[in-house]
Amino acid sequence: MSEEKEKAEAIPEDERTTALDRRSFLRKAGVAGVAAAAASTVSAPVIWAQGKSYQWKMVTTWPPEMPVLQTGAQRFAKRVEELSQGRMKIQVYAGGELVPPLGTFDAVSQGTVECGSGASYYWAGKCPAGQWFSAVPFGFNPQGINTWFYSGGGLQLWEEAYAPFNVVPRPQGNTGVQMGGWFRKKIESVDDFKGLKMRIPGLGGKVIAKAGGTVVLLAGGEIYTSLERGVIDATEWVGPLHDLRMGFYQATKYYYYPGWHEPGTTLEVIFNKKAYDELPADLKALLDTVAAETNLWSLCEFESQNGEALETLVTKHGVELLRFPDSVLNDFRKLSEEVLAEEAAKDPMCKKVHEAFLAFRAKLGKWGTVSEKAYYDTIAERIAEKKSS
């Protein structure tokens, strides 16, 4: 009996054919064949990197180097390149560098560029239903709106709303609960908004208009100059981290909270549908995954830096931090309900989205009351006890 036959019979019967076939294959394939087989099974990333490559452009609504907003878009592009091992590269342009800041949606829709970064309420004139996917006055906080997107059908509705424009949306960030804004005069009642010129987008802007104010929509890079020169009387932007950088404290000292109009604003990355659909499945999944990662990262960045920035505004720059009077917040809540009903009645898609929003809010029910609210109330009571002791 030959040595080779003895070895073959030592192998269990059910594995013998496979073992002999493998030995025959290796003899026939030679060294080059073995190397190729090893590369295909052991070094999969090499094959990934050798696939078809893609070069995309992204335009944004954000000023150059704006923390978390523009740098978040840049981080998104960097992560896509890293995780695809260079197979997909995205060149990012800040607002105005390639197209006007508020021209982002059109540029992506028309295929001038493959993707963009902004907030859906900027395109209310083209897609009114989009406003619900950025911020709803007295609506969801970051946890609530992300729950709606990922577990409540909100993202599918968003895709449906953008489909006529050949655009695919994904949540790419969240600002957290925003500040109420900067004002040249103190706010005592809702009547103080009559005739007031304020930079404020989205559904919140429509509430201000209903209160008698004049709404001005400006890109981020235009706000400070307009406030300083008196073109506007008030503005909101995001929160302390950005407001400090934007220098609003140099034009006015009255800084109001809470951000009733934007309690958890979603930022978006949008893809031209044709460009997105032409990608292989793995790169589509990669884009979606990095968008979700950036969504979480951005919220954490805001939360980690807003406190220190607020302290600087108050202690170093003498900003007067004020809470909106309860009467103003109550009036805005009533006006918000009226605005939402009116906007929903204007457009079938708005109606569909608004009804879904209300249904999901009802589904959440009392859970927030017995979980988060109860916890925060307990903390507030404890702080009050310490102050009184």
Side-chain angles (χ1 to χ4, degrees), residues 58-77:
M58 171 189 278
V59 294
T60 82
T61 65
W62 318 121
E65 298 306 317
M66 177 60 69
V68 189
L69 302 180
Q70 181 65 15
T71 60
Q74 293 166 343
R75 182 185 186 279
F76 173 85

Side-chain angles (χ1 to χ4, degrees), residues 179-181 183 185-187 254-258 322-325:
M179 288 293 289
F183 294 80
K185 65 178 183 180
K186 288 189 175 181
I187 301 298
Y254 301 127
Y255 197 25
Y256 276 87
Y257 71 95
L322 300 168
R323 186 181 186 275
F324 283 121

